[in-house]
Amino acid sequence: MISLERLIDALASLLETRGYQVMLSATDPTVLTPRRLLAPDCLLPVLMRMAEEIWRQRAGQVSFGLAIDPDRNALCGQRLRAVHHAPLSLLILCTDQTLQSVADARNVILFEALEQHANTLCAVPASQPTPV
């Protein structure tokens, strides 16, 4: 299992290195900080679910073992609790591919574009770890 703090650090570094800027809308110039965006109750569960789907499409029936729980106080209504079965490098690569798919020429990512891409990409529910 990957430490969520380690995952958040690596993804924050990806956002900063690539120069991605995530904005609420084209009319709201507020740019959200990478650490806030990547909180387990913010975009992290959505990005991990999208990364899992990208990998599944390329590798077949593969599960990252995402533990995602409903959370009515979370930005997207869900909270990521754990990633059980994927190496950090694969998570970063698949997340980067996701972000490249929705970023414009200036590397700006609008929530609306991210939501549309997520709805298109993720037609099936997220994987869940098998209880022991």
Side-chain angles (χ1 to χ4, degrees):
M1 182 166 57
I2 294 174
S3 155
L4 288 185
E5 272 307 307
R6 186 169 175 221
L7 176 60
I8 291 167
D9 288 344
L11 289 173
S13 178
L14 171 71
L15 289 175
E16 292 166 1
T17 302
R18 292 279 197 188
Y20 292 124
Q21 296 179 21
V22 181
M23 299 172 71
L24 296 175
S25 73
T27 58
D28 183 350
T30 304
V31 176
L32 302 170
T33 65
R35 296 233 20 114
R36 177 60 194 125
L37 283 171
L38 297 168
D41 65 343
C42 198
L43 285 185
L44 190 59
V46 174
L47 291 174
M48 290 302 93
R49 178 62 191 100
M50 293 171 76
E52 178 184 61
E53 187 59 25
I54 285 172
W55 185 244
R56 189 196 64 75
Q57 289 177 4
R58 282 155 185 70
Q61 293 294 350
V62 176
S63 167
F64 286 179
L66 303 175
I68 298 175
D69 296 328
D71 181 345
R72 68 175 189 221
N73 295 319
L75 177 67
C76 297
Q78 18 182 327
R79 172 182 295 273
L80 181 69
R81 208 171 16 87
V83 180
H84 290 279
H85 309 303
L88 184 59
S89 58
L90 183 60
L91 296 170
I92 300 306
L93 288 171
C94 292
T95 301
D96 190 29
Q97 187 171 355
T98 294
L99 296 174
Q100 286 177 26
S101 297
V102 296
D104 69 12
R106 297 173 301 137
N107 279 343
V108 171
I109 299 167
L110 300 177
F111 264 42
E112 180 180 345
L114 191 61
E115 181 180 23
Q116 288 173 351
H117 188 62
N119 288 335
T120 301
L121 185 64
C122 302
V124 296
S127 66
Q128 293 290 326
T130 306
V132 260

